[in-house]
């Protein structure tokens, strides 16, 4: 059975599909159970499918399953082969994570991996579970997994705007799109809410909170719609892949997308607006295409400008636009619709006046004949468009008969066309003149070949129309000058009539084909030029290491590819674009800064200041906008051409990525230098602290021995011994701070978290700091219903001691120091404030940095590590510490620790014990070191 050439698949698309299949053949198969939210039954459906496979004799291994306390899910898990989880120590906890090495070693045919978007604990091979799945697939293991719609990267912000909650764990859309199967698990919103209330999604207390926040009915309906639409998009990709694989080149009406066919007439804008309204009513995507033929390439510049503006209007209204190059408009429309699976094509109604020949049919009828499976929608012409067309024809008629000899610039192409036709006719006459002396040497058949050669040359040089004229003139010249009787159009032999017909037909066909090949060669040359420029630009940018090199190469490629002057503007650290050097005439830095801040184009061809002589294109990288291109084209029209604009956007994207790569290279270098300097400083601190601790301990012992020596020391000697003892203790405390800071920076600190009352730690801190607080008034304000807090008592005690010592150090004698604690939402706030002079203005945040003191030049002892240690300890408890406003007008430090879910606490007289401890002043306990 013969295959119609029009039905043959695109070889490039077929080759890409075959290569993708070859890559997938060595990988495992990925099936994703996809749902709108938690509780729809994704894990249940996955386990049910796994049990069916086990019943059929297939081996299934459970890698990770999260039951969330759901009894139905746990029942399905019973009896399955479950891979033991790997314990990973994390701070003071031990977390259980998926053991990828054990899974690879066992290499099961199928493994179940719940919650694809899960973030693995620090210390795992991959930071994300989907990366574990990718490694399993590369090893040839099939994977079943689950994911919710809010975890897809492209929909993360959309879901966040709907629900008010933006999840941090996401999965790249490429993982979802490249999955072998996507199974949608869907239930109505009311049924899901009923399941939530019955405790089948979360435990009752947690379910009540969820119902007030994320699980509102409106949220669930919107998420369900997103999940259904995303699944439909995924299935549409599967349909397109299947059609390529099976060489199916007809439209399957599985999508409501619209294809708008834009023509050169004045009704293009009316057509585009009508299709935009129709697409909005159908909630469908739509494309707008313009087919450019050799004849349409010769339209006046004003008319071509109007066509490009119409395409720009379609793009502004949400369409994907394209300019297609073809000799056959109807066939190009059908090919594009079949390739993109458009089941509905929208065309404008073609008037009789627009047809060149009375017997020709409209493009709509031709498309219907070529593709009867496609639905055609014809948009009526607007009354204003019909009047404009008549006015335009009348104006042309007046211009043709006007005595004014001047030719408008918009109609100069007419003069060129007339010149081409005259040269074509002269070429045929010249061929007759050249062939006349050869009549005695060659027979008439060879003479006829000379005329056909002339037709081919005219078609190559001037196109289809002049080649037709050259054919007609050539046949007439051949009859007049060479066929007997010569110098007459009479024919003595009827066989020559057949010769004339064959010459005419062959000439017309040859000219048509030659002109078509000339046009296709021109189109292919332009495409090759664009591809080569893109390749060279990407190659050049791959090796640059300086911003100046990116600027030079970007300006050079735009000048070469678009014949336009380009200026690359880069921002400073504050996000302000730096003016170019030397200055560029006409460049408006205000417009450039606006386009950079908004990440939107401005200037020529846009809706923002289109009268500008520059086109302002921001360089938007994946993380942020990295710069801006200010382009001054020689011809304003090329900005509106979709292919030219797409190529320019591609150049801009490559430049933005190159600038971002340089930025992160610089960040990585600075981070490496900072890490090395921190490591060196911590090593010096640790070494210095260890070396000083032993002699300081000896000095403390010697000073104590001196005070108790016999015979007794004199009063002067005792005073000196006590001073030596006090200064040695102070020096020992400074060395302890240095050593503790080094340990915190190296990550060696371990938290001993326990549920315990905060009041006991506050009381012990006040007792330890009694010597420093003996000249101050100490006040405690504790809420009566403080719950148990999950913290390390020794470390929090150290934080409070540092804060109390600082308060005593920087306030005059007799000042009041207050320590309070109360719950605030999900946290407990601990405040240490006084009525002293307060913190220096503008240094509220700087005092928490290492080696920073409250007073720049002060005789008070200390090296500026106390608050830095406090911040490190509090942040290790997942809390916050910051400076606030004291009710007494002095300094105030606020510590916020998370409450968590404390266990039930029996009634105790904690407040009375704490108050007794707080007023027990006078003991002299040293500060306890951090436990490591």
């Amino acid at each position: 059975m013969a295959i119609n050439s029009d039905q043959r698949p695109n070889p490039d698309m077929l080759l890409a599909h075959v290569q993708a299949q070859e890559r997938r053949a060595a990988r495992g198969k990925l099936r994703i159970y996809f749902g709108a939210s938690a509780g729809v039954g994704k894990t249940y459906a996955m386990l049910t499918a796994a049990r069916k496979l086990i019943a059929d004799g297939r081996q299934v291994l459970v890698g990770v399953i999260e039951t969330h306390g759901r009894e139905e899910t746990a029942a399905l898990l019973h009896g399955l082969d479950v891979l033991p989880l790997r314990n990973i120590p994390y701070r003071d906890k031990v977390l259980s994570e998926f053991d990828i090495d054990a899974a690879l070693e066992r290499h099961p045919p199928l493994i179940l991996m719940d919650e694809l978007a899960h973030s693995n604990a620090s210390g795992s091979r991959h930071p994300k579970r989907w990366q574990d799945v990718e490694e399993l697939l590369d090893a040839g293991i099939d994977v079943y997994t689950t994911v919710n719609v809010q975890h897809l990267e492209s929909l993360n912000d959309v879901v966040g705007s709907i629900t008010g909650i933006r999840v941090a764990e996401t999965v790249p859309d490429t993982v979802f799109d490249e999955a072998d199967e996507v199974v949608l698990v869907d239930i109505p919103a009311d049924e899901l809410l009923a399941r939530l209330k019955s405790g089948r999604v979360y435990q009752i207390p947690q379910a009540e909170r969820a119902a007030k926040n994320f699980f509102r009915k409106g949220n669930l309906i919107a998420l369900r719609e997103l999940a259904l639409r995303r699944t439909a998009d995924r299935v549409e990709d599967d349909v397109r892949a299947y059609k390529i694989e099976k060489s199916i080149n007809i439209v399957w009406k599985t999508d409501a997308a619209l294809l708008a066919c834009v023509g050169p007439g004045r009704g293009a804008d009316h057509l585009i607006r009508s299709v935009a309204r129709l697409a909005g009513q159908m909630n469908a995507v739509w494309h707008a295409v313009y087919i450019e033929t050799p004849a349409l390439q010769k339209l006046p510049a004003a008319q071509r400008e109007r066509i490009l503006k119409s395409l720009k209007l379609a793009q502004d209204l949400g369409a994907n636009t394209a300019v297609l190059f073809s000799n056959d408009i109807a066939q190009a429309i059908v090919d594009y619709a079949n390739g993109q699976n458009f089941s509905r094509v929208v065309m404008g109604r073609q008037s009789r006046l627009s047809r060149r020949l009375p017997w020709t049919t409209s493009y709509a009828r031709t498309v219907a004949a070529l593709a009867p499976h496609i639905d055609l929608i014809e948009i009526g012409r607007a009354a204003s468009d019909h009047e404009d067309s008549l006015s335009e024809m009348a104006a042309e008629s007046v211009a043709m008969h006007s005595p004014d000899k001047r030719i408008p610039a918009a109609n100069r192409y007419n003069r060129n066309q007339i010149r081409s036709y005259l040269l074509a006719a002269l070429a045929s006459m010249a061929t007759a003149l050249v062939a006349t002396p050869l009549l005695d040497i060659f027979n008439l058949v060879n003479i006829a070949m000379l005329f056909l050669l002339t037709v081919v040359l005219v078609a190559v040089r001037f196109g289809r129309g002049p080649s037709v004229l050259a054919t007609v003139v050539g046949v007439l010249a051949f009859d007049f000058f060479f066929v007997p009787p010569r110098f007459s159009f009479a024919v003595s032999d009827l066989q020559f009539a057949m010769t004339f017909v064959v010459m005419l037909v062959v000439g017309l066909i040859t000219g048509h084909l030659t002109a078509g090949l000339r046009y296709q060669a021109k189109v292919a040359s332009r495409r090759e030029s664009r591809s080569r420029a893109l390749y060279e630009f990407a190659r050049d940018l791959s090796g640059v290491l300086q911003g100046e090199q990116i600027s030079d190469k970007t300006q050079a490629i735009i000048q070469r590819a678009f014949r336009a002057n380009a200026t690359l503007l880069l921002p400073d650290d504050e996000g302000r674009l730096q003016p170019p050097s030397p200055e560029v005439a006409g460049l408006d830095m205000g417009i450039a800064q606006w386009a950079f801040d908004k990440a939107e184009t401005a200037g020529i061809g846009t809706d923002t200041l289109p009268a500008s002589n520059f086109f302002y294109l921001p360089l938007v990288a994946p993380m942020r906008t990295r710069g801006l291109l200010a382009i001054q084209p020689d011809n304003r029209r090329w900005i509106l051409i979709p292919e030219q604009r797409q190529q320019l956007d591609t150049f801009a994207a490559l430049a933005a990525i190159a600038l971002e790569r340089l930025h992160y290279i610089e960040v990585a270098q600075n981070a490496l230098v900072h890490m090395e300097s921190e490591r060196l400083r911590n090593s010096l601190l640790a070494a210095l602290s260890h070396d000083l601790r032993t002699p300081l301990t000896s000095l403390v012992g010697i000073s104590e021995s001196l005070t108790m020596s016999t015979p007794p020391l004199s009063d002067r000697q005792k005073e000196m011994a006590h001073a030596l003892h006090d200064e040695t203790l102070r020096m020992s405390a400074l060395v302890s701070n240095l050593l503790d800071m080094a340990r915190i920076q190296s990550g060696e600190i371990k938290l001993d978290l326990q549920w315990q009352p905060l009041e006991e730690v506050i009381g012990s801190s006040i007792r330890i700091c009694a010597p420093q607080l003996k000249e101050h008034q100490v006040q405690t304000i504790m809420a009566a219903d403080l719950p148990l807090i999950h913290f390390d008592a020794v470390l929090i005690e150290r934080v409070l001691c540092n804060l109390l010592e600082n308060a005593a150090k920087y306030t005059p004698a007799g000042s009041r120091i207050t320590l309070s604690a109360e719950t605030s939402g999900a946290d407990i706030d601990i405040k240490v404030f006084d009525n002293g002079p307060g913190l220096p203005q503008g240094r509220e945040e700087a005092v928490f940095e290492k080696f920073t003191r409250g007073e720049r030049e002060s005789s008070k002892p200390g090296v500026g590590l106390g608050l830095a240690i406090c911040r490190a300890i509090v942040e290790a408890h997942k809390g916050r510490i910051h400076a606030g406003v004291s009710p007494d007008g002095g300094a105030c430090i606020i510590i916020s620790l998370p409450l968590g879910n404390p266990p039930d606490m029996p009634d105790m007289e904690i407040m009375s014990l704490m108050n007794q401890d707080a007023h027990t002043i006078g003991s002299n306990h040293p500060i306890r070191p951090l436990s490591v």
Side-chain angles (χ1 to χ4, degrees):
M1 176 179 175
I3 300 177
N4 188 346
S5 61
D6 294 337
Q7 300 297 323
R8 292 174 183 170
N10 187 314
D12 294 332
M13 297 176 64
L14 191 58
L15 177 60
H17 183 71
V18 170
Q19 292 174 343
Q21 283 187 327
E22 290 178 351
R23 290 192 298 268
R24 288 190 174 189
R27 282 170 53 93
K29 305 298 182 184
L30 175 62
R31 175 188 288 185
I32 296 178
Y33 288 85
F34 185 55
S37 66
V40 297
K42 301 181 301 298
T43 306
Y44 189 91
M46 181 174 66
L47 288 173
T48 301
R51 282 195 166 274
K52 290 180 180 179
L53 292 176
I54 294 173
D56 294 337
R58 188 173 184 186
Q59 181 184 354
V60 178
L61 177 64
V62 177
V64 179
I65 290 293
E66 301 290 347
T67 64
H68 297 289
R70 301 164 190 160
E71 296 180 358
E72 299 92 338
T73 306
L76 287 177
L77 191 60
H78 181 70
L80 298 184
D81 185 8
V82 180
L83 182 70
L85 299 178
R86 185 167 68 99
N87 293 329
I88 299 178
Y90 180 73
R91 294 184 177 178
D92 61 323
K93 299 180 180 178
V94 176
L95 302 179
S96 297
E97 291 289 355
F98 171 66
D99 193 345
I100 188 171
D101 292 322
L104 293 173
E105 183 178 357
R106 293 188 57 174
H107 204 281
L110 173 65
I111 189 169
L112 308 183
M113 298 286 293
D114 204 5
E115 297 186 358
L116 182 63
H118 171 76
S119 296
N120 296 327
S122 179
S124 302
R125 180 183 304 178
H126 301 297
K128 297 289 185 179
R129 183 167 291 168
W130 65 264
Q131 294 171 317
D132 294 336
V133 169
E134 287 290 320
E135 185 170 350
L136 294 172
L137 294 173
D138 291 336
I141 301 174
D142 294 346
V143 178
Y144 285 4
T145 187
T146 64
V147 71
N148 289 330
V149 67
Q150 66 263 29
H151 294 296
L152 291 182
E153 183 65 45
S154 63
L155 298 176
N156 182 255
D157 56 342
V158 178
V159 176
S161 64
I162 294 173
T163 63
I165 301 172
R166 189 165 182 174
V167 297
E169 296 178 329
T170 59
V171 176
D173 283 56
T174 53
V175 177
F176 183 85
D177 293 331
E178 294 175 1
D180 297 274
E181 285 185 85
V182 174
V183 179
L184 178 65
V185 183
D186 179 56
I187 61 173
D190 291 332
E191 184 177 341
L192 179 57
L193 289 174
R195 295 187 62 186
L196 181 68
K197 292 179 181 178
S198 64
R200 297 168 60 192
V201 178
Y202 298 121
Q203 300 297 325
I204 297 298
Q206 188 178 2
E208 292 177 353
R209 291 194 299 270
K212 297 178 181 178
N213 297 287
F214 188 87
F215 281 81
R216 293 194 294 267
K217 184 174 181 179
N219 291 352
L220 297 180
I221 294 174
L223 294 179
R224 189 184 183 200
E225 181 182 2
L226 285 176
L228 291 171
R229 288 187 179 277
R230 190 63 179 86
T231 306
D233 293 340
R234 174 63 169 73
V235 174
E236 177 64 22
D237 293 338
D238 292 342
V239 171
R240 189 173 294 124
Y242 180 82
K243 290 177 60 183
I244 294 173
E245 180 182 1
K246 301 300 181 182
S247 302
I248 300 173
N249 199 26
I250 62 173
V251 173
W252 285 358
K253 298 181 181 181
T254 59
D255 195 2
L258 300 174
L259 175 61
C261 302
V262 180
R266 289 186 174 273
D269 290 353
H270 172 66
L271 170 71
I272 288 170
R273 293 187 178 96
S274 299
V275 178
R277 289 193 299 270
L278 185 60
Q281 295 168 3
M282 300 173 60
N283 197 20
V285 297
W286 64 292
H287 288 206
V289 296
Y290 169 71
I291 315 298
E292 186 159 272
T293 63
L296 293 178
Q297 274 194 328
K298 300 173 183 178
L299 290 175
Q303 194 168 356
R304 291 177 61 81
E305 185 86 14
R306 188 173 64 213
I307 295 169
L308 295 175
K309 288 182 178 179
S310 298
L311 291 176
K312 179 63 169 58
L313 173 63
Q315 190 172 8
D316 293 340
L317 294 177
N320 294 321
T321 60
V323 175
L324 308 178
F325 300 92
S326 176
N327 292 320
D328 191 336
I329 293 178
Q331 188 62 53
I333 294 172
V334 173
D335 292 342
Y336 189 86
N338 288 333
Q340 300 295 326
N341 201 43
F342 283 100
S343 60
R344 294 176 177 85
V345 174
V346 185
M347 306 181 71
R349 183 168 299 162
Q350 191 174 359
S351 65
R352 293 180 180 179
L353 296 175
S354 64
R355 301 178 192 172
R356 294 188 175 183
L357 298 174
W359 57 83
T360 58
T361 59
S362 65
Y363 292 122
R365 291 182 178 272
T366 307
V367 170
L370 291 173
H373 54 277
I374 292 179
D375 296 336
L376 288 177
I377 301 175
E378 197 171 54
I379 302 296
R381 295 170 58 86
S384 59
D385 294 335
H386 182 64
E387 293 174 359
D388 290 342
S389 298
L390 294 177
S391 300
E392 190 175 85
M393 294 176 62
E396 291 178 356
S397 176
V398 171
M400 291 176 60
H401 297 85
S402 173
D404 190 356
K405 303 298 183 180
R406 291 174 298 175
I407 300 177
N411 294 327
R412 288 176 184 173
Y413 85 104
N414 290 330
R415 184 174 61 181
N416 294 332
Q417 284 292 94
I418 294 173
R419 179 172 171 269
S420 299
Y421 280 97
L422 289 176
L423 290 176
L426 291 175
S428 295
M429 298 301 298
T431 303
L433 183 63
V434 171
T436 299
L438 304 177
L439 182 61
D440 297 333
I441 302 174
F442 300 106
N443 57 29
L444 293 180
V445 175
N446 293 326
I447 298 297
M449 294 299 102
L450 293 178
F451 283 98
L452 292 180
L453 176 61
T454 301
V455 170
V456 172
L457 296 177
V458 169
V460 170
R461 180 64 182 85
F462 300 113
R464 182 178 292 104
S467 71
V468 173
L469 179 61
T471 302
V472 174
V473 173
V475 170
L476 295 176
F478 180 74
D479 179 24
F480 187 81
F481 290 104
F482 299 99
V483 176
R486 298 179 62 189
F487 307 108
S488 171
F489 289 108
V491 179
S492 61
D493 191 348
L494 292 178
Q495 293 184 0
F496 286 110
M498 179 61 67
T499 303
F500 298 153
V501 172
V502 172
M503 281 185 62
L504 182 62
V505 173
V506 171
L508 293 176
I509 294 175
T510 303
H512 175 78
L513 295 177
T514 304
L517 290 175
R518 171 175 173 264
Y519 175 70
Q520 295 296 336
K522 184 186 297 184
V523 171
S525 176
R526 290 178 180 176
R527 291 177 178 172
E528 189 274 337
S529 177
R530 288 197 295 264
S531 300
R532 184 177 65 252
L534 184 62
Y535 164 74
E536 292 176 353
F537 187 51
R539 181 194 60 192
D540 294 341
L541 289 183
S542 63
V544 299
L545 296 175
Q546 295 180 352
E548 293 79 6
Q549 294 176 311
I550 296 178
S551 177
D552 294 341
K553 293 184 182 300
T554 302
Q555 294 175 7
I557 191 65
I558 291 179
Q559 174 65 37
R560 186 167 65 250
F562 303 106
R563 295 188 298 275
N565 297 322
T567 303
L568 180 60
L569 305 177
L570 298 178
D572 55 17
D573 294 337
E574 297 179 356
R576 303 297 300 175
L577 292 177
Q578 299 301 301
S581 179
E583 294 184 0
V584 178
L587 179 62
D588 192 325
M589 291 301 297
I591 303 176
Q593 187 66 49
W594 181 92
F596 176 81
D597 294 337
K598 301 293 184 180
E600 296 179 6
T601 56
I604 300 174
T606 69
D607 297 330
T608 305
L609 299 174
S612 173
N613 293 326
F614 283 81
F615 177 64
Y616 299 90
L617 178 62
L619 303 181
V620 182
M623 296 303 296
R624 53 165 293 186
T625 304
R626 294 293 173 186
L628 181 131
L629 274 176
I631 303 170
Q632 187 178 22
D634 295 339
N635 184 1
R636 298 169 63 96
R637 187 175 63 84
W638 72 263
I639 290 288
L640 300 175
I641 301 176
E643 280 69 20
Q644 299 276 36
R645 176 61 188 277
Q646 290 172 4
Q647 186 181 19
L648 181 61
D649 289 342
T650 304
F651 286 150
L654 290 174
I657 293 174
L659 290 171
E660 187 155 277
R661 176 172 57 84
L662 291 187
H663 169 74
Y664 283 112
I665 289 176
E666 183 179 357
V667 170
Q669 291 175 343
N670 294 337
L672 182 61
V673 172
H674 181 71
M675 289 170 58
E676 291 297 331
S677 62
E678 285 291 321
R679 186 181 305 167
L680 178 61
R681 181 165 63 178
N682 292 334
S683 300
L684 291 174
L685 290 177
L688 183 64
S689 301
H690 282 292
D691 292 343
L692 289 177
R693 179 164 280 187
T694 299
L696 286 174
T697 304
S698 300
L699 286 175
V700 171
I702 293 173
S703 61
E704 291 179 349
S705 300
L706 285 175
T707 58
M708 297 182 294
S709 62
T710 54
L713 300 177
S714 64
D715 294 339
R716 177 60 178 167
Q717 291 174 332
K718 286 183 179 181
E719 182 180 352
M720 295 175 62
H722 285 296
L724 175 63
H725 182 263
D726 294 340
E727 290 300 318
T728 304
L729 288 177
R730 185 179 64 82
M731 183 62 69
S732 179
L734 293 177
V735 171
S736 297
N737 281 339
L738 290 173
L739 183 58
D740 291 343
M741 197 69 238
R743 287 173 174 172
I744 291 173
Q745 292 293 321
S746 63
E748 296 179 0
I749 191 169
K750 303 289 190 300
L751 298 182
D752 181 18
L753 297 179
Q754 296 181 13
W755 292 102
Q756 46 199 326
L758 178 65
E759 293 86 343
E760 293 184 357
V761 178
I762 292 177
S764 62
S765 302
I766 296 176
R767 285 199 309 271
I768 293 173
C769 297
Q772 291 83 6
L773 300 172
K774 60 185 178 181
E775 297 182 357
H776 294 74
Q777 302 176 25
V778 179
Q779 178 183 355
T780 59
I781 304 175
M782 301 290 122
D785 56 347
L786 290 180
L788 296 179
I789 308 299
H790 201 228
F791 63 90
D792 187 321
V794 174
L795 296 183
I796 296 299
E797 179 184 88
R798 180 64 179 277
V799 171
L800 296 177
C801 287
N802 283 350
L803 296 179
L804 291 173
E805 288 178 359
N806 279 344
K809 183 189 302 183
Y810 291 100
T811 56
S815 300
R816 183 174 65 254
I817 300 174
T818 304
L819 201 156
S820 67
E822 60 181 354
T823 58
S824 176
D827 298 328
I828 183 169
D829 290 344
I830 307 170
K831 300 180 181 179
V832 178
F833 56 91
D834 55 58
N835 59 352
L839 295 173
Q841 186 70 24
R843 291 176 54 83
E844 292 83 359
E845 183 64 24
V847 294
F848 291 96
E849 298 176 2
K850 290 180 291 186
F851 303 104
T852 301
R853 305 184 62 193
E855 298 178 0
R856 296 185 181 273
E857 299 294 336
S858 175
S859 60
K860 297 181 176 64
V863 294
L865 285 176
L867 290 180
I869 293 174
C870 292
R871 166 164 284 184
I873 294 174
V874 171
E875 290 180 350
H877 285 77
K878 299 182 180 180
R880 305 181 306 277
I881 182 171
H882 62 279
V885 179
S886 171
D888 296 337
C892 177
I893 304 297
I894 304 173
I895 302 171
S896 298
L897 297 176
L899 286 174
N901 296 315
D904 295 335
M905 182 181 68
D907 294 335
M908 296 183 297
E909 298 297 326
I910 296 177
M911 291 300 297
S912 61
L913 293 176
M914 189 274 300
N915 290 331
Q916 294 176 9
D917 293 337
H919 291 86
T920 306
I921 305 298
S923 60
N924 187 14
H925 299 285
I927 295 178
R928 286 182 282 178
L930 298 177
S931 60
V932 178

